[in-house]
Amino acid sequence: MAQPADLRMTRIPLNHGAGRMPALGFGTLIPDPAVTITATRDALEAGFRHFDCAERYRNEREVGAALQAGLAGGGVAREDIFVTTKLWNSNHRPARVEPAFEASLQRLGLKYLDLYFIHTPFAFQPGDDQDPRDQNGNVIYDQGVTLLDTWRAMETLVDHGKCRAIGLSDVGLDELKPIYEAARIKPSVVQVESHPYLPETELLEFCKERGIVLLAFAPLGHGMKPGLLEDPVISAIAARVGKTPAQVLLAWAIQRGTALLATPKSAARARENFDISALPQDALDEINRIQTRQRLNTVVKTGVPGFIPKGG
Ligand SMILES: NC(=O)c1ccc[n+]([C@@H]2O[C@H](COP(=O)([O-])OP(=O)(O)OC[C@H]3O[C@@H](n4cnc5c(N)ncnc54)[C@H](OP(=O)(O)O)[C@@H]3O)[C@@H](O)[C@H]2O)c1
């Protein structure tokens, strides 16, 4: 696949003319509010132009404040950055979609969003409790709304002009296909866990054939050790090409045609994660031959996020 010489500048065109998404994204799933601010600022300074947020992360205000300060001080225009956030499970009822979207926009301090996701295909009991549980501690799901109902309300947001594209997160082909077929406005991006241990090849092919971008979360395997960052194939390639294992994993993700979300929390890590360059074809082939298969995040099974502290 032809790639620009500088992977860091890769921008992937979105369907129905909704602009281009920087492939190298910064994820904001950071529990600490102060770290959220410094990490977002450092990411912007390092060169990241794509910021992935969520109402569920409870830090849109901090991300927004860091972005506003960074834009004002760094000569970066709003049009130069790409900002997304996500509708949480307790807001799937169509009447709740636009208010939830507006509340996110307000917390971020923005006038429009580049992309808005449905965070998971699971609808929870509607309301302001993000984690509704019954007396036995089980999640209370909402049987009164379908994913297509919610998608229709997302389409209306695009019609109203405050959101340029819409997408799905934590879905498999079983959920994506019916929405894709029924949609008036097709999903532009699908955000799922993906890395060499979970390449999601079938989903990626489906997306590529239809002009949908696959946006990979956990490209470093959530940083778990032992794990991808210590994989012998990745480490050997890193030593050979003079890069770190993280840089090898991020380059592989972009060169196979996905976008990605990394979450560096220090300035040094932000520079490291941004400073990627293309791997030779033999290295890509070696990574593609890795046989280990592992899903790290069970959010796709229940809608309950795996990496957010309880009560948060
Ligand atoms: N849609 C969903 O349901 C969903 C679920 C999960 C995540 N996401 C999104 O995806 C983003 C990325 O997920 P993630 O943070 O789990 O991905 P990740 O990049 O695979 O893992 C982050 C971990 O990697 C470590 N790390 C970062 N850069 C490193 C480097 N250069 N060398 C070694 N370790 C490094 C970090 O350690 P330190 O903490 O020490 O910096 C952190 O523990 C999230 O922020 C969020 O926006 C979405």
Side-chain angles (χ1 to χ4, degrees):
M1 178 189 323
Q3 290 288 335
D6 190 344
L7 283 191
R8 301 170 304 175
M9 298 305 149
T10 306
R11 283 182 172 252
I12 309 180
L14 299 182
N15 56 17
H16 63 83
R20 294 187 310 148
M21 184 171 80
L24 196 46
F26 173 74
T28 65
L29 176 45
I30 303 172
D32 184 295
V35 177
T36 301
I37 293 179
T38 55
T40 305
R41 184 201 60 204
D42 292 341
L44 191 64
E45 279 178 17
F48 283 88
R49 293 293 178 265
H50 168 178
F51 296 85
D52 176 81
C53 311
E55 130 182 45
R56 180 66 177 122
Y57 302 163
R58 293 175 174 265
N59 61 0
E60 290 171 310
R61 254 181 240 292
E62 286 78 8
V63 176
L67 288 179
Q68 303 303 332
L71 295 189
V76 181
R78 167 67 184 92
E79 294 70 38
D80 294 336
I81 61 169
F82 188 98
V83 185
T84 77
T85 193
K86 312 188 192 80
L87 179 86
W88 184 240
N89 301 352
S90 50
N91 287 321
H92 276 210
R93 293 267 172 143
R96 296 185 67 86
V97 171
E98 189 149 11
F101 171 84
E102 291 291 344
S104 281
L105 210 53
Q106 208 218 351
R107 285 190 292 270
L108 287 163
L110 297 175
K111 293 194 174 66
Y112 70 90
L113 274 184
D114 297 277
L115 170 68
Y116 194 43
F117 285 105
I118 300 179
H119 199 144
T120 86
F122 296 90
F124 288 1
Q125 172 179 272
D128 295 333
D129 181 357
Q130 292 189 340
D131 191 20
R133 302 275 173 159
D134 66 17
Q135 55 200 17
N136 299 317
N138 298 315
V139 173
I140 308 174
Y141 292 95
D142 180 7
Q143 307 302 338
V145 62
T146 66
L147 192 57
L148 186 58
D149 296 334
T150 311
W151 188 258
R152 295 283 182 232
M154 299 284 282
E155 293 176 325
T156 305
L157 295 178
V158 180
D159 294 338
H160 291 176
K162 286 187 166 182
C163 158
R164 296 186 171 167
I166 46 180
L168 293 164
S169 162
D170 296 324
V171 290
L173 277 174
D174 286 352
E175 285 113 355
L176 175 58
K177 276 182 183 165
I179 296 294
Y180 181 83
E181 277 154 21
R184 177 170 60 81
I185 299 176
K186 305 294 181 198
S188 292
V189 181
V190 168
Q191 180 178 146
V192 292
E193 176 181 340
S194 184
H195 42 69
Y197 293 172
L198 189 65
E200 293 285 17
T201 311
E202 201 187 340
L203 181 63
L204 179 59
E205 286 311 310
F206 180 91
C207 288
K208 281 185 178 173
E209 282 163 14
R210 287 156 186 83
I212 301 170
V213 180
L214 192 150
L215 173 58
F217 77 73
L220 307 181
H222 283 319
M224 287 173 167
K225 292 187 178 174
L228 275 163
L229 288 165
E230 294 171 336
D231 183 282
V233 173
I234 304 297
S235 303
I237 293 170
R240 208 163 75 219
V241 300
K243 289 284 183 180
T244 67
Q247 289 168 329
V248 168
L249 289 163
L250 300 179
W252 172 82
I254 295 186
Q255 285 179 269
R256 71 194 290 255
T258 72
L260 65 86
L261 296 171
T263 312
K265 298 195 195 72
S266 68
R269 279 261 169 93
R271 286 193 293 271
E272 177 187 339
N273 289 2
F274 192 73
D275 182 25
I276 58 170
S277 46
L279 300 171
Q281 187 59 46
D282 60 346
L284 300 175
D285 293 342
E286 276 177 61
I287 299 173
N288 290 335
R289 283 196 296 268
I290 291 176
Q291 296 295 317
T292 308
R293 288 292 171 265
Q294 190 179 17
R295 181 185 293 285
L296 303 167
N297 197 316
T298 54
V299 63
V300 290
K301 298 195 174 109
T302 60
V304 178
F307 289 82
I308 294 178
K310 280 207 160 46

Coordinates of all heavy atoms in Angstrom, one line a residue, residues 21 26-29 50-54 57 84-86 115-121 166-172 176 187-194 200 203 207 212-219 259-261 295 297 299-300:
M21 N -9.1 12.5 8.6 CA -8.8 12.3 10.0 C -7.3 12.0 10.1 O -6.8 11.0 9.5 CB -9.6 11.1 10.5 CG -9.4 10.8 12.0 SD -10.6 9.6 12.6 CE -9.8 8.1 12.0
F26 N -4.6 10.8 19.7 CA -4.3 10.8 21.1 C -5.6 10.5 21.9 O -6.6 11.2 21.7 CB -3.8 12.2 21.5 CG -3.6 12.4 23.0 CD1 -2.6 11.8 23.6 CD2 -4.5 13.2 23.7 CE1 -2.4 11.9 25.0 CE2 -4.3 13.3 25.1 CZ -3.3 12.7 25.8
G27 N -5.5 9.5 22.7 CA -6.7 9.1 23.5 C -6.7 9.7 24.8 O -5.6 9.9 25.4
T28 N -7.9 10.0 25.3 CA -7.9 10.8 26.6 C -8.5 10.0 27.8 O -9.0 10.6 28.7 CB -8.7 12.1 26.4 OG1 -10.0 11.8 26.1 CG2 -8.1 13.0 25.3
L29 N -8.4 8.7 27.7 CA -8.9 7.8 28.8 C -7.8 7.9 29.9 O -7.0 7.0 30.1 CB -9.1 6.4 28.3 CG -9.5 5.3 29.3 CD1 -10.6 5.9 30.3 CD2 -10.0 4.1 28.7
H50 N -5.2 14.8 16.5 CA -6.5 14.1 16.6 C -6.7 13.7 18.1 O -5.8 13.1 18.7 CB -6.3 12.8 15.7 CG -7.4 11.8 15.9 ND1 -7.4 10.7 15.1 CD2 -8.5 11.7 16.7 CE1 -8.5 9.9 15.4 NE2 -9.1 10.5 16.4
F51 N -7.8 14.1 18.7 CA -8.0 13.9 20.1 C -9.3 13.2 20.3 O -10.4 13.6 19.8 CB -8.1 15.3 20.8 CG -6.7 16.0 20.7 CD1 -6.4 16.8 19.6 CD2 -5.8 15.9 21.7 CE1 -5.2 17.4 19.5 CE2 -4.5 16.4 21.6 CZ -4.2 17.2 20.5
D52 N -9.2 12.1 21.0 CA -10.4 11.2 21.1 C -10.9 11.3 22.6 O -10.2 11.0 23.5 CB -10.0 9.7 20.9 CG -11.1 8.7 21.1 OD1 -11.9 8.6 20.2 OD2 -11.1 8.1 22.2
C53 N -12.1 11.7 22.7 CA -12.7 11.9 24.1 C -13.9 11.1 24.3 O -14.3 10.3 23.4 CB -13.1 13.4 24.2 SG -11.8 14.6 23.7
A54 N -14.5 11.2 25.5 CA -15.8 10.5 25.7 C -16.4 11.1 26.9 O -15.7 11.4 27.9 CB -15.5 9.0 26.0
Y57 N -15.5 9.3 30.1 CA -14.2 9.5 30.7 C -14.2 10.6 31.8 O -13.2 10.8 32.5 CB -13.1 9.8 29.7 CG -12.9 8.8 28.6 CD1 -12.2 9.1 27.4 CD2 -13.4 7.5 28.7 CE1 -12.1 8.1 26.4 CE2 -13.3 6.6 27.7 CZ -12.6 6.9 26.5 OH -12.4 6.0 25.5
T84 N -13.0 14.3 18.6 CA -14.1 13.3 18.6 C -14.5 13.2 20.1 O -13.7 13.3 21.0 CB -13.8 11.9 18.1 OG1 -13.0 11.2 19.1 CG2 -13.0 12.0 16.8
T85 N -15.8 12.9 20.3 CA -16.2 12.4 21.6 C -17.3 11.3 21.4 O -17.7 11.0 20.3 CB -16.6 13.5 22.6 OG1 -16.6 12.9 23.9 CG2 -17.9 14.2 22.3
K86 N -17.8 10.8 22.5 CA -18.7 9.6 22.4 C -19.9 9.7 23.3 O -19.8 10.1 24.4 CB -17.9 8.3 22.8 CG -16.6 8.2 22.2 CD -16.0 6.8 22.4 CE -14.5 6.8 22.1 NZ -13.6 7.3 23.1
L115 N -16.2 14.4 14.7 CA -16.8 13.0 14.7 C -17.4 12.7 16.1 O -16.8 13.1 17.1 CB -15.6 12.1 14.4 CG -15.8 10.6 14.5 CD1 -16.8 10.1 13.4 CD2 -14.5 9.9 14.4
Y116 N -18.6 12.1 16.0 CA -19.2 11.7 17.3 C -19.5 10.2 17.2 O -20.1 9.7 16.2 CB -20.5 12.5 17.4 CG -21.2 12.4 18.8 CD1 -20.5 12.6 19.9 CD2 -22.6 12.3 18.9 CE1 -21.1 12.6 21.2 CE2 -23.2 12.3 20.1 CZ -22.4 12.5 21.2 OH -23.1 12.5 22.5
F117 N -19.1 9.5 18.2 CA -19.3 8.0 18.2 C -20.5 7.6 19.1 O -20.7 8.3 20.2 CB -18.1 7.3 18.8 CG -16.9 7.2 18.0 CD1 -15.8 8.1 18.2 CD2 -16.8 6.3 16.9 CE1 -14.7 8.0 17.5 CE2 -15.7 6.2 16.2 CZ -14.6 7.0 16.4
I118 N -21.1 6.5 18.8 CA -21.9 5.8 19.9 C -20.8 4.9 20.6 O -20.2 4.1 19.9 CB -23.0 4.9 19.2 CG1 -24.0 5.7 18.4 CG2 -23.7 4.1 20.3 CD1 -25.1 4.9 17.8
H119 N -20.6 5.1 21.9 CA -19.5 4.5 22.6 C -19.5 3.0 22.5 O -18.5 2.3 22.3 CB -19.5 5.0 24.0 CG -18.1 4.9 24.7 ND1 -17.7 5.8 25.6 CD2 -17.2 3.9 24.6 CE1 -16.5 5.4 26.0 NE2 -16.2 4.3 25.5
T120 N -20.7 2.4 22.8 CA -20.8 0.9 22.7 C -22.2 0.6 22.2 O -23.1 1.5 22.3 CB -20.7 0.2 24.1 OG1 -21.9 0.2 24.7 CG2 -19.6 0.8 25.0
P121 N -22.4 -0.6 21.6 CA -23.8 -0.9 21.1 C -24.7 -1.2 22.2 O -25.9 -1.6 22.0 CB -23.5 -2.1 20.2 CG -22.2 -2.7 20.7 CD -21.4 -1.6 21.3
I166 N -20.1 10.6 11.9 CA -20.6 9.8 13.0 C -20.0 8.4 12.9 O -19.7 7.9 11.8 CB -22.1 9.8 13.1 CG1 -22.8 9.5 11.7 CG2 -22.7 11.0 13.7 CD1 -24.3 9.5 11.8
G167 N -19.8 7.7 14.0 CA -19.2 6.4 14.0 C -19.7 5.5 15.1 O -20.4 5.9 16.0
L168 N -19.2 4.3 15.0 CA -19.6 3.3 16.0 C -18.3 2.8 16.7 O -17.2 2.9 16.1 CB -20.2 2.1 15.3 CG -21.6 2.3 14.7 CD1 -21.9 1.2 13.8 CD2 -22.7 2.4 15.8
S169 N -18.4 2.4 18.0 CA -17.3 1.9 18.7 C -17.7 0.6 19.4 O -18.8 0.4 19.7 CB -16.9 3.0 19.7 OG -16.1 2.5 20.8
D170 N -16.7 -0.2 19.6 CA -16.9 -1.5 20.3 C -17.9 -2.4 19.6 O -18.7 -3.1 20.3 CB -17.2 -1.3 21.7 CG -16.1 -0.6 22.5 OD1 -14.9 -1.0 22.2 OD2 -16.3 0.2 23.4
V171 N -17.9 -2.4 18.3 CA -18.8 -3.2 17.5 C -18.0 -4.3 16.7 O -16.9 -4.1 16.4 CB -19.7 -2.4 16.5 CG1 -20.7 -1.6 17.2 CG2 -18.8 -1.6 15.5
G172 N -18.7 -5.4 16.4 CA -18.2 -6.4 15.5 C -19.0 -6.3 14.2 O -19.9 -5.4 14.1
L176 N -22.2 -4.0 13.0 CA -21.9 -2.9 12.0 C -22.7 -3.1 10.7 O -23.2 -2.2 10.1 CB -20.3 -3.0 11.6 CG -19.9 -2.0 10.5 CD1 -20.2 -0.6 10.8 CD2 -18.4 -2.2 10.3
P187 N -21.7 5.0 8.7 CA -20.6 5.2 9.7 C -19.3 5.6 8.9 O -19.0 5.0 8.0 CB -20.5 3.9 10.4 CG -21.8 3.1 10.0 CD -22.3 3.7 8.7
S188 N -18.6 6.6 9.4 CA -17.4 7.0 8.8 C -16.2 6.3 9.5 O -15.2 6.0 8.8 CB -17.1 8.5 9.0 OG -18.0 9.3 8.3
V189 N -16.3 6.0 10.7 CA -15.2 5.4 11.5 C -15.8 4.3 12.4 O -16.9 4.5 13.0 CB -14.5 6.5 12.3 CG1 -13.3 5.9 13.1 CG2 -14.0 7.6 11.4
V190 N -15.0 3.3 12.6 CA -15.4 2.2 13.6 C -14.2 2.1 14.5 O -13.0 1.9 14.1 CB -15.6 0.9 12.9 CG1 -15.7 -0.2 13.9 CG2 -17.0 1.0 12.2
Q191 N -14.4 2.4 15.8 CA -13.3 2.3 16.8 C -13.4 1.0 17.6 O -14.4 0.7 18.3 CB -13.4 3.5 17.8 CG -12.3 3.5 18.8 CD -12.4 4.7 19.8 OE1 -12.0 4.6 21.0 NE2 -12.8 5.9 19.3
V192 N -12.3 0.2 17.5 CA -12.3 -1.1 18.2 C -10.9 -1.3 18.7 O -9.9 -0.7 18.2 CB -12.7 -2.2 17.2 CG1 -14.2 -2.2 16.9 CG2 -11.8 -2.3 16.0
E193 N -10.8 -2.3 19.7 CA -9.5 -2.7 20.1 C -8.8 -3.4 18.9 O -9.4 -4.3 18.3 CB -9.6 -3.7 21.2 CG -8.3 -4.3 21.7 CD -8.4 -5.3 22.8 OE1 -9.4 -5.3 23.5 OE2 -7.4 -6.1 23.0
S194 N -7.5 -3.0 18.6 CA -6.8 -3.7 17.6 C -5.3 -3.5 17.7 O -4.8 -2.4 18.0 CB -7.3 -3.2 16.2 OG -6.6 -3.9 15.2
E200 N -8.1 -8.0 13.8 CA -9.5 -7.7 13.3 C -9.4 -7.6 11.8 O -10.0 -6.7 11.2 CB -10.0 -6.4 13.9 CG -10.3 -6.4 15.4 CD -11.6 -7.2 15.7 OE1 -12.1 -7.9 14.9 OE2 -12.1 -7.0 16.9
L203 N -12.9 -7.5 9.9 CA -13.6 -6.2 10.0 C -12.8 -5.1 9.2 O -13.5 -4.3 8.6 CB -13.6 -5.8 11.5 CG -14.2 -4.5 12.0 CD1 -15.7 -4.5 11.6 CD2 -14.0 -4.3 13.5
C207 N -14.4 -2.8 6.3 CA -14.3 -1.3 6.4 C -13.6 -0.7 5.2 O -14.1 0.2 4.6 CB -13.6 -0.9 7.7 SG -14.6 -1.2 9.1
I212 N -14.8 3.0 5.2 CA -15.0 3.2 6.6 C -13.5 3.1 7.2 O -12.8 2.2 6.9 CB -15.9 2.2 7.3 CG1 -17.3 2.2 6.7 CG2 -16.0 2.5 8.8 CD1 -18.2 1.0 7.1
V213 N -13.2 4.1 8.1 CA -11.9 4.0 8.7 C -12.0 3.1 10.0 O -12.9 3.3 10.8 CB -11.4 5.4 9.1 CG1 -10.0 5.3 9.8 CG2 -11.3 6.3 7.9
L214 N -11.0 2.2 10.1 CA -10.9 1.4 11.4 C -9.9 2.2 12.3 O -8.8 2.4 11.9 CB -10.5 0.0 11.1 CG -10.6 -0.9 12.3 CD1 -10.9 -2.4 11.9 CD2 -9.4 -0.9 13.3
L215 N -10.4 2.6 13.4 CA -9.6 3.4 14.4 C -9.3 2.4 15.6 O -10.2 2.0 16.3 CB -10.4 4.6 14.9 CG -9.8 5.4 16.0 CD1 -8.4 6.0 15.7 CD2 -10.7 6.6 16.3
A216 N -8.0 2.1 15.7 CA -7.5 1.1 16.6 C -7.3 1.7 18.0 O -6.4 2.6 18.2 CB -6.3 0.4 16.1
F217 N -8.0 1.1 19.0 CA -7.6 1.5 20.4 C -6.7 0.4 21.0 O -6.7 -0.7 20.5 CB -8.8 1.9 21.3 CG -9.7 0.9 21.8 CD1 -9.3 0.0 22.9 CD2 -11.0 0.7 21.4 CE1 -10.1 -0.9 23.4 CE2 -11.8 -0.2 21.9 CZ -11.4 -1.1 22.9
A218 N -6.0 0.7 22.0 CA -5.0 -0.2 22.6 C -4.0 -0.7 21.6 O -3.6 -1.9 21.6 CB -5.7 -1.4 23.3
P219 N -3.4 0.2 20.8 CA -2.4 -0.3 19.8 C -1.2 -0.8 20.5 O -0.4 -1.6 19.9 CB -2.1 1.0 19.0 CG -2.4 2.1 19.9 CD -3.6 1.6 20.8
A259 N -6.3 3.9 11.5 CA -5.9 5.0 12.4 C -5.7 4.4 13.8 O -6.0 3.2 14.0 CB -7.0 6.1 12.4
L260 N -5.1 5.2 14.7 CA -4.9 4.6 16.0 C -5.0 5.7 17.1 O -5.0 6.8 16.8 CB -3.5 3.9 16.1 CG -2.3 4.9 15.9 CD1 -1.9 5.5 17.3 CD2 -1.1 4.1 15.3
L261 N -5.2 5.2 18.3 CA -5.2 6.0 19.5 C -4.2 5.6 20.5 O -4.2 4.5 21.0 CB -6.6 6.0 20.2 CG -7.8 6.4 19.4 CD1 -9.1 6.1 20.0 CD2 -7.7 7.9 19.1
R295 N -7.7 -10.8 23.2 CA -8.5 -9.6 23.4 C -8.3 -9.1 24.9 O -8.4 -9.9 25.8 CB -10.0 -9.8 23.2 CG -10.9 -8.6 23.4 CD -12.3 -8.9 23.2 NE -12.7 -9.3 21.9 CZ -12.8 -8.5 20.8 NH1 -12.6 -7.2 21.0 NH2 -13.2 -9.0 19.7
N297 N -9.7 -6.1 26.3 CA -10.8 -5.3 26.8 C -12.1 -5.9 26.6 O -12.5 -6.2 25.4 CB -10.7 -3.9 26.2 CG -11.5 -2.8 27.0 OD1 -12.6 -3.1 27.4 ND2 -10.9 -1.7 27.1
V299 N -15.0 -4.8 27.1 CA -16.2 -3.8 26.9 C -17.1 -4.3 25.8 O -18.3 -4.1 25.8 CB -15.6 -2.4 26.6 CG1 -14.8 -2.3 25.3 CG2 -16.7 -1.4 26.6
V300 N -16.6 -5.0 24.8 CA -17.4 -5.4 23.6 C -18.5 -6.5 24.1 O -19.4 -6.7 23.4 CB -16.6 -6.0 22.5 CG1 -15.8 -5.0 21.7 CG2 -15.7 -7.1 22.9

